[in-house]
Amino acid sequence: MTMSKNSVIFSFIFLPFISSATTQLAPALYVFGDSLFDSGNNNFLPTVARANYLPYGANFVNRSTGRFTNGKTVADFIAEFLGLPYSPPFLSYKRDLLPLTGLNYASGSCGILPETGSPFGRCLNFEEQVGLFQDSVKSLQQRYFQILVDFSNYLSKSVFIVSIGSNDYINNYLETSLYDTSKRYTPQLFAQLLVYKLSQQLERLYNLGARKIVVFELGPIGCLPWITRNNKHTGQCVEDTNQIVSYFNNMLPAMLQNLTTSLKGSNFINGHGHGVGYDAIINPSKYGIADASNPCCTAFFNGTSGCIPYLRPCNNTNKHYFWDGYHPTEVVYSILASGCINNASFCTPYSLKDLVKV
Ligand SMILES: *[C@@H]1O[C@H](CO)[C@@H](O)[C@H](O)[C@H]1NC(C)=O
Ligand SMILES: *[C@@H]1O[C@H](CO)[C@@H](O)[C@H](O)[C@H]1NC(C)=O
Ligand SMILES: *[C@@H]1O[C@H](CO)[C@@H](O)[C@H](O)[C@H]1NC(C)=O
Ligand SMILES: *[C@@H]1O[C@H](CO)[C@@H](O)[C@H](O)[C@H]1NC(C)=O
Ligand SMILES: *[C@@H]1O[C@H](CO)[C@@H](O)[C@H](O)[C@H]1NC(C)=O
């Protein structure tokens, strides 16, 4: 971008901070991931992995649907904390009308590997999501060049959150009737492959201007109704499955630390969602939860899959850990979000509260 004398004078102007009466802690929130974060991108894609019908969204503003839970996701709670609107689905916008306060690229059923989730239809894998962000950067620069001259400052102060990789297990490695990855890779080597591919895309985000990037661990996948009910498991969790997924989580800190060290000015944050998520399943009463095994909605295939459309969900949603066969309720998301916002042992090395001040 060429800078005229005038634009240099105004380059200190930081539009989001001056255009809003409320206090914003960051100029934008950019969201990447799978159905844990999707705010409706899949509504615009040819896929059966959609949550665009009630009871999904039953407890969200206007009961609007597209989120794979009853209410707000972790991304929505973080947007509220930052004083920003909920990051809208990228696919709901025309390219020349993108907002400056952030976008959501997350896509249900997708993962890090391009083949993950393909039996359900089209979704946006992580590499595609980063590609769409790259397009967005170009469009935003064109649209806002007069009021936002210091674009790199805008991006470096923005918060990026990522939750991806669960489906590389759920809709790939553990789906042995459709994929042979578990024959080709040991759990360690599969985790290594995922973490390596993830790090490549995170580095790409950095090269596009991102500096504050929070990457969440994978949750306790062995405790999902999808796993426990399909295995007719009587206990709370299938620990063998949790063990397989733990290799990914265990490799994440070194990779993120490595990126922070090698990429100047970056802060890659590890969101330790697994420990608290698991604890809330094993000790639900500590968290005010009464049922940590059964989905709240009436879900397809004996409670192991998505919600059956338009059936009335359970009456005590806030006492349930699981909303459907795969996803937690808003209550669980709220616990995870406040952990990351406030607790520097949950989101390490900086909680979000501290990260926005860096
Ligand atoms: C909810 O509906 C009201 C009235 O139609 C609208 O102004 C508001 O933007 C909607 N909120 C969301 C989050 O969609
Ligand atoms: C459905 O799930 C319940 C709870 O896990 C289980 O007791 C029951 O046997 C399952 N039914 C079938 C037909 O698989
Ligand atoms: C850290 O980065 C170096 C250099 O890019 C690389 O060789 C090494 O494998 C990385 N380690 C991890 C844990 O990602
Ligand atoms: C929920 O409450 C309504 C009204 O009190 C009742 O008719 C319904 O049977 C209850 N549903 C469940 C799943 O308990
Ligand atoms: C902060 O997070 C850590 C790691 O998840 C957890 O062990 C600890 O209990 C949390 N502290 C508080 C005060 O919630």
Side-chain angles (χ1 to χ4, degrees):
M1 198 189 297
T2 56
M3 289 207 195
S4 71
K5 260 194 178 153
N6 276 349
S7 66
V8 171
I9 292 169
F10 288 106
S11 68
F12 65 92
I13 292 181
F14 207 35
L15 177 80
F17 285 119
I18 60 163
S19 66
S20 168
T22 63
T23 321
Q24 296 178 340
L25 301 178
L29 173 65
Y30 287 98
V31 179
F32 301 81
D34 52 30
S35 56
L36 296 174
F37 279 7
D38 192 348
S39 61
N41 282 306
N42 278 21
N43 295 355
F44 300 89
L45 295 171
T47 174
V48 297
R50 279 197 191 170
N52 59 344
Y53 56 85
L54 287 170
Y56 287 108
N59 305 107
F60 197 73
V61 205
N62 302 351
R63 291 159 66 95
S64 63
T65 51
R67 286 166 175 77
F68 291 75
T69 185
N70 61 304
K72 292 178 254 187
T73 66
V74 168
D76 297 322
F77 283 110
I78 290 176
E80 286 180 352
F81 163 70
L82 296 173
L84 293 168
Y86 304 135
S87 305
F90 169 81
L91 295 181
S92 69
Y93 274 89
K94 288 201 161 50
R95 295 282 164 105
D96 53 348
L97 294 176
L98 298 178
L100 255 189
T101 49
L103 286 158
N104 183 319
Y105 304 86
S107 174
S109 80
C110 247
I112 296 167
L113 302 179
E115 62 273 25
T116 289
S118 53
F120 295 99
R122 184 79 175 87
C123 60
L124 307 172
N125 63 53
F126 190 45
E127 184 175 349
E128 289 176 309
Q129 293 177 28
V130 177
L132 293 173
F133 174 69
Q134 183 168 358
D135 296 347
S136 305
V137 168
K138 275 197 212 109
S139 304
L140 289 169
Q141 272 177 313
Q142 276 164 14
R143 180 166 190 214
Y144 297 103
F145 75 99
Q146 284 174 314
I147 48 174
L148 193 56
V149 176
D150 195 348
F151 203 78
S152 66
N153 185 46
Y154 158 80
L155 287 178
S156 69
K157 296 263 189 290
S158 294
V159 172
F160 292 71
I161 58 175
V162 180
S163 177
I164 194 89
S166 299
N167 289 325
D168 294 293
Y169 289 93
I170 295 171
N171 296 329
N172 189 330
Y173 197 80
L174 300 171
E175 191 53 86
T176 49
S177 58
L178 298 170
Y179 291 88
D180 66 353
T181 36
S182 61
K183 294 208 180 67
R184 293 192 285 124
Y185 296 94
T186 62
Q188 291 94 319
L189 286 174
F190 189 66
Q192 217 168 62
L193 172 73
L194 294 182
V195 169
Y196 174 67
K197 299 259 179 206
L198 177 62
S199 77
Q200 286 183 317
Q201 296 308 317
L202 293 174
E203 184 160 354
R204 205 170 144 214
L205 275 182
Y206 172 88
N207 288 331
L208 292 167
R211 293 294 178 271
K212 301 178 178 185
I213 306 176
V214 182
V215 182
F216 286 89
E217 284 179 345
L218 306 188
I221 287 172
C223 312
L224 299 181
W226 173 70
I227 287 275
T228 56
R229 287 175 164 235
N230 277 334
N231 287 284
K232 302 238 178 295
H233 194 76
T234 46
Q236 205 74 46
C237 305
V238 177
E239 295 300 349
D240 289 352
T241 306
N242 281 337
Q243 179 58 37
I244 289 172
V245 175
S246 70
Y247 292 105
F248 178 94
N249 287 340
N250 292 343
M251 288 176 195
L252 207 50
M255 184 270 275
L256 296 174
Q257 174 61 51
N258 216 5
L259 289 178
T260 301
T261 308
S262 54
L263 304 175
K264 193 168 161 284
S266 70
N267 279 291
F268 287 87
I269 307 297
N270 192 338
H272 291 282
H274 184 277
V276 170
Y278 184 75
D279 192 42
I281 290 171
I282 302 301
N283 304 302
S285 59
K286 248 170 84 179
Y287 300 83
I289 291 170
D291 184 330
S293 357
N294 303 298
C296 169
C297 76
T298 306
F300 284 108
F301 307 117
N302 196 31
T304 61
S305 186
C307 301
I308 299 174
Y310 309 118
L311 292 186
R312 191 195 178 100
C314 67
N315 282 339
N316 53 346
T317 313
N318 291 342
K319 300 271 179 208
H320 271 256
Y321 187 100
F322 291 107
W323 169 245
D324 63 11
Y326 303 104
H327 306 99
T329 55
E330 177 185 82
V331 161
V332 176
Y333 285 141
S334 140
I335 294 167
L336 298 174
S338 67
C340 183
I341 290 165
N342 298 304
N343 182 346
S345 311
F346 186 110
C347 271
T348 55
Y350 294 116
S351 67
L352 277 173
K353 216 168 50 187
D354 296 332
L355 182 66
V356 294
K357 296 189 202 133
V358 171

